[in-house]
Amino acid sequence: MNKSIQDTFDAISAVFTDINRKDKSFELTNTLSKKLTQQELVGDFYKTAILNYRGYISGEKKVKSNLYTERIAQSILEHDLLTAWNCLMPVRTNHFAPEHDKICESILSTNRKEEILAKLLYRQGDVAGLGSILDYQTPLKNKRSDSFGKIDLLSYNDMDNLISIVELKYTPTGSNETLLRCILEAYTYYKVFKLDQGKQKLNDRKQQAILIDSQAELVVLFDEGVFTKNEKGYEKNLIVSLDDNGNVVYPDKTIKTQQYKEIKDLGLLNEDSRLYKLCKAILKQEDMLKQIRFLMLKRSGTKTVNRLKDKDHKDSVEYFEYCTECLEIIKG
């Protein structure tokens, strides 16, 4: 084990200690026993279960600074863990092989609603407030054993002239992933993606854009939640399920997403928050990363309703045209 890996391991261990969850550090022991490289250790960190802990640290006063997200963000900064991301490098030769079909004929080939939504946005092409969608499920792995996932959406922000690494969060029951997890996942993907290939993808689309040194942004994209019929679910829900008779199915209760609650209710992106300071530190560390945007995805004003058929050629879901609303933007 070389020193750099040990330093990273020690910094991650300190995060567990700082949130009074040293009992959960067996995750680290298991990780270390695999004799991972520095890249593998850091590249896997966003998957650590503690990053999705919600609420207040057990035994501590219920104040904002004692929220798990806030304490973990503070610990990452205090132990200089963020600099470990400098070891991450792209491993895939070509991010766009094989090419994705713009028609997305196999749009219902998966049961994952988040992937279906990503395909719908890709098919739509231009999404107001986000930009022009260049690709979806952009692969990052070079071999099956690589830990990295896929970039949910790759887009071009023509207003700011930036390539956007988009982390999409959506489930039919309301996403419960924390902003901290979303940010670190998007940042990890940014580090292992070849931005020059994103620029070439844009040029292939014949967009009239001049990207200065392949500058980029991170985007966390999420919805407000899922709503019952009485709470205007017929106007707000992004994807509407249909029963065997083609009737709309509404959830039994309204559920707001964790991302929306953390911004609107908890104020976790206010300038005095540790999470805000973590975002600023990420931007300071990356010359080519210019901003982090937090966008709420919603249905646009159009009344057009579209339906997708399942493998039995029955109407399965309704979808719409989408746009976004910027809830927060943090600039470098």
Side-chain angles (χ1 to χ4, degrees), residues 222-223 236 238 296-300 321-325:
F222 53 92
D223 61 330
K236 295 182 176 181
L238 295 186
M296 185 175 74
L297 186 64
K298 57 185 184 179
R299 283 153 56 171
S300 67
E321 183 176 312
Y322 303 105
C323 63
T324 66
E325 176 184 343

Side-chain angles (χ1 to χ4, degrees), residues 43 57 88 95 144 146 170 192 212 233 246 278 298:
I57 294 174
L88 295 179
H95 294 296
R144 185 181 295 272
D146 289 335
Y170 174 77
V192 296
I212 303 173
L278 180 66
K298 57 185 184 179

Side-chain angles (χ1 to χ4, degrees), residues 7-64:
D7 288 344
T8 301
F9 180 82
D10 290 343
I12 295 175
S13 296
V15 174
F16 281 83
T17 301
D18 289 347
I19 61 170
N20 301 336
R21 296 312 299 263
K22 196 172 182 179
D23 59 307
K24 295 293 184 180
S25 61
F26 66 85
E27 293 183 40
L28 293 179
T29 303
N30 292 340
T31 297
L32 201 62
S33 67
K34 298 176 184 177
K35 298 182 179 179
L36 300 180
T37 65
Q38 176 82 333
Q39 168 130 333
E40 290 169 330
L41 178 60
V42 177
D44 268 347
F45 182 70
Y46 75 87
K47 301 176 183 177
T48 306
I50 60 171
L51 297 184
N52 260 335
Y53 282 11
R54 299 178 295 279
Y56 298 93
I57 294 174
S58 179
E60 303 280 356
K61 291 182 179 180
K62 292 185 177 181
V63 294
K64 182 177 176 180

Side-chain angles (χ1 to χ4, degrees), residues 79-121:
H79 298 288
D80 203 26
L81 179 56
L82 204 58
T83 57
W85 266 255
N86 289 326
C87 78
L88 295 179
M89 300 290 290
V91 295
R92 190 178 180 90
T93 303
N94 186 352
H95 294 296
F96 301 107
E99 287 274 350
H100 283 134
D101 186 349
K102 192 69 178 178
I103 300 176
C104 296
E105 292 180 349
S106 60
I107 204 163
L108 285 180
S109 61
T110 175
N111 290 323
R112 296 184 65 247
K113 292 297 191 293
E114 183 177 285
E115 186 174 336
I116 290 173
L117 182 58
K119 290 180 178 180
L120 291 173
L121 292 169

Side-chain angles (χ1 to χ4, degrees), residues 143-156:
K143 57 183 184 297
R144 185 181 295 272
S145 60
D146 289 335
S147 62
F148 315 119
K150 298 177 180 179
I151 298 174
D152 292 321
L153 292 167
L154 189 71
S155 62
Y156 170 59

Side-chain angles (χ1 to χ4, degrees), residues 217-280:
E217 66 174 352
L218 305 182
V219 175
V220 179
L221 182 63
F222 53 92
D223 61 330
E224 182 178 353
V226 292
F227 298 85
T228 63
K229 183 177 182 179
N230 290 337
E231 296 193 47
K232 297 187 176 181
Y234 54 87
E235 294 180 358
K236 295 182 176 181
N237 294 338
L238 295 186
I239 298 178
V240 178
S241 296
L242 303 172
D243 63 20
D244 291 339
N245 296 317
N247 299 314
V248 173
V249 178
Y250 294 98
D252 295 330
K253 62 179 180 179
T254 291
I255 303 174
K256 296 293 184 73
T257 62
Q258 184 68 18
Q259 302 88 40
Y260 182 86
K261 290 188 293 185
E262 288 187 357
I263 293 175
K264 288 296 189 179
D265 299 339
L266 298 176
L268 289 188
L269 292 180
N270 294 347
E271 291 187 11
D272 64 342
S273 74
R274 274 77 167 188
L275 189 61
Y276 176 89
K277 291 178 172 61
L278 180 66
C279 291
K280 293 290 284 187

Side-chain angles (χ1 to χ4, degrees), residues 301-312:
T302 178
K303 297 295 183 181
T304 303
V305 178
N306 305 285
R307 289 193 169 190
L308 291 174
K309 294 184 181 296
D310 60 20
K311 61 182 180 180
D312 297 320

